């Protein structure tokens, strides 16, 4: 199966999948062709085929993984029912739980993608018993949306944590957007730092750990507007994919000059 992963990378992923996949996992991959005329209110979604090819490659490595492609325009009614609005969107489903990923999960986020597959397949998380018990009592929907990038160390940690929350309750709905690809959306959301997390529409910036996030979720659900105080707020500056590519194309600094940025370009 053709795709972005090389043969050595495929061999490594296949070995890891064989070790960790315990239940069937289904992938719904929603794409649309990049629009011929770029409109000011929509990002073209240039990595739709890359994202679809990546999932096809992964699914070919294990018999418990299956993929179903959908076209956002031809299957508009189904997309509306599923809450799918952006291309590419990958829905990971297993054991009655699902996670929505928007964009192409490359760079550091590729490891996050694999972690999410394993979490959804197992149907269990590494959350503390107290967190699992609290999520088990949910009776109303809890919408968590994260804006992440493939070049900072905090986004992949946020991805793993949200995946753990998603498998603990059918009421937890998680959508993770790789925002570097969607520069117009980042401008509309006024994103200057990542990761960004919205809890039922209430926005915060920076990485959360399990205990502080569970406390913040509890406040949101009870209508408490007070933010949880974090000892430190870890963030990285938002850089769009086009900006990252421009930075990566610059010649390396002379000896003794400014160090390289260390970005992982999608």
């Amino acid at each position: 199966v053709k795709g972005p992963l090389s043969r050595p990378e495929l061999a490594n992923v296949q070995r890891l999948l064989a070790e960790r996949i315990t239940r069937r996992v289904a992938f719904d991959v929603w794409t649309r062709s990049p629009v011929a005329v770029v409109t000011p209110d929509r990002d073209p979604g240039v990595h739709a085929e890359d994202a679809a090819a990546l999932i096809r490659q992964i699914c070919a490595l294990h018999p418990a993984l299956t993929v179903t492609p959908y076209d956002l325009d031809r299957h508009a009614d189904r997309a509306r029912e599923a809450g799918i609005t952006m291309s590419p969107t990958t829905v990971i489903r297993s054991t009655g739980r699902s996670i929505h990923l928007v964009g192409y999960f490359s760079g550091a986020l590729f490891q996050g993608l694999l972690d999410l597959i394993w979490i959804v397949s197992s149907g269990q998380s590494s959350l503390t018993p107290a967190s699992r018990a609290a999520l088990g009592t949910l009776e109303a929907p809890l919408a968590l949306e994260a804006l992440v990038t493939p070049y900072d160390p905090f986004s992949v940690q946020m991805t793993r944590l949200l995946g753990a929350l998603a498998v603990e309750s059918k009421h937890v709905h998680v959508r993770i957007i790789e925002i570097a690809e969607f520069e117009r959306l980042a401008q509309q959301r006024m994103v200057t730092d990542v990761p960004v997390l919205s809890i039922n529409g209430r926005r915060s910036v920076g990485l959360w750990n399990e205990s502080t996030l569970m406390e913040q979720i509890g406040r949101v659900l009870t209508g408490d507007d007070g933010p949880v105080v974090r000892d430190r707020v870890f963030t990285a500056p938002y850089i769009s994919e086009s900006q990252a590519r421009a930075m990566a194309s610059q010649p390396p600094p002379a000896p003794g000059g400014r160090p390289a940025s260390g970005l992982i370009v999608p």
Side-chain angles (χ1 to χ4, degrees), residues 26-61:
F27 296 82
D28 300 333
V29 180
W30 294 82
T31 60
R32 64 158 52 97
S33 299
V35 292
V37 178
V38 177
T39 60
D41 61 340
R42 179 196 292 181
D43 289 284
V46 294
H47 290 303
E49 183 50 41
D50 295 326
L54 176 62
I55 298 302
R56 288 196 300 267
Q57 279 192 306
I58 292 174
C59 289
L61 300 177

Side-chain angles (χ1 to χ4, degrees), residues 88-108:
T89 293
T90 301
V91 182
I92 309 176
R93 298 186 291 107
S94 184
T95 63
R97 305 290 190 264
S98 65
I99 300 172
H100 290 207
L101 307 179
V102 180
Y104 179 38
F105 276 54
S106 62

Side-chain angles (χ1 to χ4, degrees), residues 89-226:
T89 293
T90 301
V91 182
I92 309 176
R93 298 186 291 107
S94 184
T95 63
R97 305 290 190 264
S98 65
I99 300 172
H100 290 207
L101 307 179
V102 180
Y104 179 38
F105 276 54
S106 62
L109 287 179
F110 178 65
Q111 182 60 55
L113 169 63
L114 295 179
D115 291 339
L116 292 177
I117 295 172
W118 298 327
I119 291 171
V120 172
S121 172
S122 69
Q124 295 181 341
S125 72
S126 58
L127 297 178
T128 63
S131 296
R132 297 173 68 178
L135 293 169
T137 63
L138 289 176
E139 297 180 354
L142 173 63
L144 303 174
E145 181 187 80
L147 308 180
V148 299
T149 61
Y151 53 71
D152 74 275
F154 311 123
S155 287
V156 67
Q157 296 180 56
M158 178 73 81
T159 296
R160 294 190 186 107
L161 179 55
L162 295 184
L165 297 176
V167 300
E168 291 297 341
S169 172
K170 65 180 180 181
H171 296 295
V172 178
H173 305 288
V174 169
R175 181 166 75 158
I176 305 172
I177 302 175
E178 195 286 273
I179 195 65
E181 177 182 345
F182 302 101
E183 189 169 357
R184 289 178 179 80
L185 179 62
Q187 293 172 350
Q188 293 168 5
R189 301 283 189 91
M190 294 182 288
V191 177
T192 57
D193 296 278
V194 289
V196 178
L197 177 65
S198 295
I199 306 172
N200 282 359
R202 185 186 298 182
R203 170 172 162 157
S204 64
V205 177
L207 180 65
W208 292 84
N209 61 35
E210 178 185 337
S211 61
T212 54
L213 179 55
M214 290 300 301
E215 184 178 353
Q216 185 64 60
I217 288 172
R219 294 191 183 189
V220 171
L221 293 177
T222 57
D224 184 347
D225 293 332

